[in-house]
Amino acid sequence: MLSKINTCVLQGLEGNIVEVETDLSNGMPSFNIVGLPDMAIKESKDRVRTAINNSNYRFPLNRITINLAPASLKKEGSQIDLAIATGILKCMDIIKNINLSDTCFIGELSLDGEVTEIDGALPMVISLLSLGIKRVILPFKNKEECGVVKGIDIIPVKNLEQLVSYLNGLEVIEPWKTKEFSNVEKDNKFYDFKDIKGQETLKRAMEVAAAGGHNILIIGPPGSGKTMISKRLPTILPDMSFEEALEVTKIYSVAGLIKSNGLISKRPYRSPHHTISKVSLVGGGRVPTPGEVSLAHYGVLFLDELPEFGKSVLEVLRQPLEDNMVTISRVNATLTYPSNFMLVASMNPCPCGYYGDPIHECSCSPRDIDRYLKKISGPLLDRIDIHIEVNPVNYQDLKDKKNNSEASNIIKDRVNKCREIQIKRYSEEKIYSNSELQGRSINKYCKTNKNGEKILKNAFEKLGLSARAYNKVLKVSRTIADLDESEEITEKHILEAIQYRNMDRKYFSI
């Protein structure tokens, strides 16, 4: 007897329908799976056999052949277990002869017949919806994650017995729908810009970066608040939309990092250690998985002590920073993961950390300083919009009991207004922030007056800016003007933006 059951395999974030063809025939008892299965699928034979026996069904003593079609597609993952078991039970006539052509089965089986949680369920369901599937039967623990997808029935099951009862009409399981998405975050008791004492220039730079989605490099001595303020950047970023939350959750689902129910509603904040490898940063491996640049999608990637990262590791950041995506090429497949993140990096001005410090004396030689700073290449520095130098916090700021610092929610209101201006301006461009402007769009939306052109020309020549750095100045100027709710970019906006590039002259030779 022959049965055909649909399941799904992932390639990157895209799901492909796989038809599990099951044939039970007379002959010596055997269990064969063909169609380019990986080791996890080959091992499913033992899981399926034991799960069926432990679910009060007798595993057939027949010749069993499983074909995974199309045979040309490499199949990976234990989520095919449920489809294989369903196909065998249907051939045994335990599951009655019903039409399952618009239904897909995904889930791993434990030895007692329980349908266990899998990674990548959300991107599978989203892909299956676009491929015409009407119903997905999946593990009970994946229901919150996948219930946000509209237009497809999500049927969560706990074990094989419940699955059989449902398919035979003996048990009713209502399609699961997760409660409506809410992007309203609860007040964070631990991180708030109000905790930052002094450093008004740095706070302003972080506000500009958040308002335009700009990358930022913070240079300063130890203890000046670089890490502290970076951790508070997500508290002033705009709330994620449903579409953004869905895309971020897809990435975390594939990576197996979803710890809570439903969608990820908070912007990611990733802070990898400087010993990280290239594969861990941008993604890859034998079975390619998302790296830190993708896990920080629509959020913040914080690289503390930037020169301590390997030079080859930093250089692989170029493509993600420029294209907002990373492409991983392997023998089996070429996969693309999104990586639209804000890069926040911090570093000391020299190896000892006290070059230029008014209090501490620097013990580094000019050669040591030069070698240290040259660990950051010019092309990478070019891709960072804002460079800001900070000084140590003075005693008066630390002991100021009034603490007139603005809270995160106040700064966030200004950032939201600025982002709304940008979304409205670029409604026909498929651009959501000033940092995404490129080529003709920069010329169209970042026009300056004659005085502004003179200032830009003077800065370009004296600072030795590259063409990319020149465009960065224009884009940051556009953001500063938007914060002022000014359609025109004036001299003061350009002058402030140029201040955020003075590290080009002071520290680096480009």
Side-chain angles (χ1 to χ4, degrees):
M1 186 175 179
L2 178 68
S3 71
K4 295 184 179 181
I5 303 294
N6 294 320
T7 188
C8 184
V9 295
L10 281 176
Q11 285 190 313
L13 295 180
E14 299 298 321
N16 297 286
I17 293 178
V18 171
E19 192 173 56
V20 179
E21 300 175 337
T22 305
D23 179 70
L24 265 65
S25 58
N26 296 325
M28 292 292 293
S30 63
F31 195 166
N32 299 307
I33 301 177
V34 297
L36 290 183
D38 72 341
M39 186 56 66
I41 299 175
K42 290 178 180 178
E43 291 176 347
S44 70
K45 292 185 291 186
D46 295 319
R47 290 193 299 271
V48 169
R49 178 188 289 109
T50 309
I52 289 176
N53 283 329
N54 288 333
S55 298
N56 299 318
Y57 307 113
R58 187 172 181 178
F59 193 80
L61 297 176
N62 296 85
R63 180 182 179 87
I64 303 173
T65 304
I66 307 289
N67 178 45
L68 307 179
S72 59
L73 178 67
K74 178 73 175 177
K75 289 87 177 178
E76 296 174 340
S78 58
Q79 75 279 356
I80 296 181
D81 287 5
L82 189 60
I84 293 175
T86 303
I88 292 173
L89 292 172
K90 196 168 186 298
C91 286
M92 295 167 61
D93 206 30
I94 292 174
I95 295 176
K96 304 305 176 183
N97 191 19
I98 57 176
N99 183 16
L100 298 175
S101 60
D102 61 352
T103 302
C104 193
F105 296 76
I106 55 175
E108 180 181 329
L109 289 175
S110 64
L111 298 185
D112 61 358
E114 182 184 355
V115 183
T116 60
E117 187 178 9
I118 61 169
D119 295 335
L122 180 61
M124 288 183 195
V125 170
I126 294 173
S127 298
L128 291 170
L129 174 62
S130 65
L131 294 171
I133 295 295
K134 303 297 183 184
R135 179 176 58 169
V136 179
I137 297 177
L138 44 67
F140 188 82
K141 291 183 179 179
N142 289 112
K143 65 176 183 178
E144 293 286 350
E145 172 189 346
C146 301
V148 298
V149 183
K150 297 180 180 179
I152 190 169
D153 289 340
I154 303 300
I155 307 297
V157 294
K158 296 180 179 179
N159 50 56
L160 273 182
E161 289 183 88
Q162 186 183 28
L163 172 66
V164 173
S165 296
Y166 168 73
L167 292 177
N168 288 337
L170 302 177
E171 181 177 345
V172 176
I173 302 178
E174 294 295 332
W176 181 265
K177 289 298 177 187
T178 303
K179 62 183 179 180
E180 289 296 320
F181 171 75
S182 174
N183 60 9
V184 178
E185 296 184 14
K186 296 180 180 179
D187 293 336
N188 196 317
K189 298 179 180 179
F190 303 103
Y191 299 116
D192 196 297
F193 262 67
K194 196 172 181 64
D195 302 330
I196 309 295
K197 296 183 178 181
Q199 302 295 15
E200 298 303 322
T201 304
L202 178 56
K203 290 177 186 175
R204 170 65 177 178
M206 295 297 275
E207 181 180 342
V208 172
H214 302 291
N215 303 318
I216 181 170
L217 171 64
I218 309 169
I219 302 177
S224 55
K226 303 186 297 294
T227 303
M228 185 178 183
I229 200 169
S230 299
K231 288 182 177 179
R232 284 154 177 77
L233 178 59
T235 65
I236 65 172
L237 291 173
D239 294 325
M240 283 205 294
S241 66
F242 174 78
E243 290 75 17
E244 289 176 331
L246 196 64
E247 196 164 345
V248 171
T249 308
K250 282 170 60 177
I251 297 170
Y252 276 69
S253 178
V254 169
L257 296 177
I258 294 182
K259 303 299 181 184
S260 59
N261 293 331
L263 292 183
I264 295 174
S265 60
K266 293 184 179 180
R267 292 193 180 273
Y269 179 85
R270 306 291 298 184
S271 180
H273 192 260
H274 62 258
T275 55
I276 191 172
S277 66
K278 291 187 291 185
V279 171
S280 297
L281 185 62
V282 299
R286 186 187 64 82
V287 179
T289 55
E292 291 292 334
V293 296
S294 296
L295 295 173
H297 187 52
Y298 290 136
V300 175
L301 177 65
F302 177 53
L303 302 183
D304 197 11
E305 303 298 342
L306 190 65
E308 300 302 328
F309 286 79
K311 190 163 186 178
S312 62
V313 173
L314 292 179
E315 293 308 305
V316 299
L317 282 173
R318 292 192 196 181
Q319 185 210 1
L321 285 172
E322 195 73 17
D323 302 334
N324 294 334
M325 64 178 65
V326 59
T327 301
I328 304 167
S329 297
R330 294 293 183 268
V331 173
N332 294 331
T334 298
L335 308 178
T336 299
Y337 291 113
S339 58
N340 187 3
F341 59 92
M342 276 185 63
L343 174 65
V344 180
S346 69
M347 60 180 288
N348 296 325
C350 66
C352 78
Y354 295 112
Y355 177 68
D357 191 306
I359 301 174
H360 300 87
E361 183 178 353
C362 176
S363 60
C364 304
S365 67
R367 186 174 181 179
D368 291 336
I369 297 173
D370 184 60
R371 186 185 301 113
Y372 178 77
L373 296 175
K374 283 187 176 179
K375 290 181 180 180
I376 315 300
S377 69
L380 178 61
L381 186 68
D382 254 0
R383 288 167 168 81
I384 301 177
D385 308 27
I386 297 174
H387 314 151
I388 182 73
E389 182 181 12
V390 296
N391 293 316
V393 182
N394 59 49
Y395 180 81
Q396 288 182 340
D397 287 331
L398 288 174
K399 288 300 180 181
D400 185 9
K401 295 182 179 180
K402 294 182 179 179
N403 190 11
N404 295 321
S405 297
E406 290 183 311
S408 291
N409 60 336
I410 297 174
I411 302 173
K412 185 175 181 176
D413 288 340
R414 293 198 296 268
V415 170
N416 281 332
K417 288 181 182 178
C418 186
R419 287 290 185 107
E420 287 170 5
I421 291 171
Q422 295 168 57
I423 291 172
K424 184 177 180 180
R425 180 190 297 130
Y426 308 131
S427 59
E428 298 180 358
E429 300 276 354
K430 293 184 179 180
I431 293 175
Y432 302 98
S433 65
N434 290 326
S435 63
E436 299 176 48
L437 290 171
Q438 293 182 354
R440 295 179 182 178
S441 299
I442 296 176
N443 297 329
K444 182 178 179 180
Y445 296 109
C446 300
K447 294 179 180 178
T448 61
N449 55 29
K450 290 184 178 180
N451 290 334
E453 285 292 341
K454 290 180 181 178
I455 294 171
L456 274 171
K457 180 181 178 183
N458 190 34
F460 185 84
E461 293 173 350
K462 289 192 173 182
L463 295 180
L465 300 179
S466 67
R468 184 183 283 113
Y470 169 79
N471 287 333
K472 298 289 187 186
V473 172
L474 283 174
K475 290 192 282 187
V476 173
S477 301
R478 177 69 272 168
T479 299
I480 297 169
D482 289 339
L483 282 169
D484 283 349
E485 298 184 24
S486 169
E487 189 59 34
E488 181 184 14
I489 299 177
T490 64
E491 295 92 323
K492 70 173 184 176
H493 303 138
I494 294 173
L495 286 171
E496 183 179 350
I498 290 172
Q499 287 180 355
Y500 299 140
R501 297 296 305 190
N502 62 359
M503 304 307 169
D504 290 333
R505 177 180 62 186
K506 189 168 184 179
Y507 288 104
F508 297 91
S509 298
I510 298 180

